[in-house]
Amino acid sequence: DSGLANDLHWQLRSDRIEIVTADFLTFDLSKFSGIKVIGNLPYSLSSQILLRLIDFSSSWQLAVLTTQREFAQRILARPGSKTYGAITVLCSVRVTAESLFNLPPKWFSPRPAVVSTAFRLKVREQPLFGCSDPDRFRRVVKAAFGQRRKTLLNSLSSGLGIDKNVISRVLLQQGVNLDARAETLTPEQFHLLSDALP
């Protein structure tokens, strides 16, 4: 469509659009404020890109992303479900997630072997809770889900290098059953657990 091409050419030459060629995982997003993000994320980098967006959540307000359906299900999961995991917890602190629609392979060229899902993220006006040590919180969450077939007690002890007796005492103080698995805890419970662990 020549008309569309001319319009696009005009926009690219105007001051309203700036095209930057850069590695998203190292590009400085802090210079932006309140922007909207849209993208079809590479399947192999979806987690890294999404976590970087979460780290810079003060720079944007809304994102519409397309990923492999199974990855999107992890972002949209609820506690207790099989798809609920570390990425779910880490994202939910800063954003809310909503599924939009699925995209079949035939809508892409070349065709992928999987179904994709488009979903919307909105940055919360206030985080779900305040983290005194965000890095520690992330380590605890990742350790908890590091060995999904094990109990939370075993996963945390192994992943954090903390004695099981210490972990057991903290879990019981937090009202968490010693046989519980990571997927049964809410993000808020992970927050309290992170603050309570030595």
Side-chain angles (χ1 to χ4, degrees):
D1 184 346
S2 59
L4 177 60
N6 289 335
D7 289 344
L8 180 60
H9 180 68
W10 178 84
Q11 289 182 5
L12 294 180
R13 292 185 60 183
S14 76
D15 294 332
R16 299 183 341 190
I17 294 179
E18 177 185 2
I19 297 179
V20 178
T21 302
D23 182 349
F24 187 81
L25 297 180
T26 59
F27 183 68
D28 183 14
L29 298 172
S30 63
K31 61 183 180 180
F32 298 110
S33 177
I35 63 172
K36 295 179 175 66
V37 179
I38 184 169
N40 181 28
L41 304 190
Y43 295 156
S44 61
L45 295 175
S46 295
S47 292
Q48 295 178 59
I49 291 174
L50 190 55
L51 288 176
R52 186 162 180 81
L53 277 174
I54 297 304
D55 286 342
F56 286 89
S57 58
S58 60
S59 298
W60 58 280
Q61 58 179 318
L62 176 72
V64 176
L65 307 173
T66 301
T67 66
Q68 184 174 340
R69 178 172 56 184
E70 287 73 17
F71 180 82
Q73 288 172 340
R74 291 166 56 196
I75 305 304
L76 301 160
R78 295 290 179 264
S81 65
K82 291 182 179 180
T83 52
Y84 183 77
I87 193 79
T88 322
V89 175
L90 296 175
C91 287
S92 65
V93 177
R94 292 283 180 177
V95 303
T96 60
E98 176 189 6
S99 179
L100 297 176
F101 48 82
N102 292 326
L103 298 95
K106 67 180 181 180
W107 288 6
F108 294 87
S109 180
R111 291 190 180 193
V114 297
V115 173
S116 300
T117 295
F119 58 93
R120 176 167 47 217
L121 301 177
K122 289 183 179 179
V123 176
R124 297 179 184 274
E125 291 187 9
Q126 295 293 331
L128 203 54
F129 44 78
C131 272
S132 56
D133 189 341
D135 289 337
R136 179 176 177 78
F137 174 73
R138 182 171 291 191
R139 287 196 304 272
V140 168
V141 171
K142 288 187 173 182
F145 287 97
Q147 302 177 69
R148 291 187 68 104
R149 294 186 178 182
K150 292 189 175 183
T151 63
L152 183 62
L153 169 61
N154 288 328
S155 295
L156 288 174
S157 178
S158 175
L160 298 175
I162 301 176
D163 185 85
K164 284 186 180 180
N165 291 327
V166 176
I167 301 286
S168 297
R169 185 166 59 251
V170 172
L171 289 176
L172 292 175
Q173 289 172 349
Q174 297 298 317
V176 179
N177 192 296
L178 296 184
D179 293 326
R181 298 186 184 276
E183 61 267 25
T184 63
L185 269 65
T186 65
E188 291 86 350
Q189 286 177 300
F190 275 112
H191 168 232
L192 295 175
L193 184 60
S194 174
D195 282 352
L197 285 170

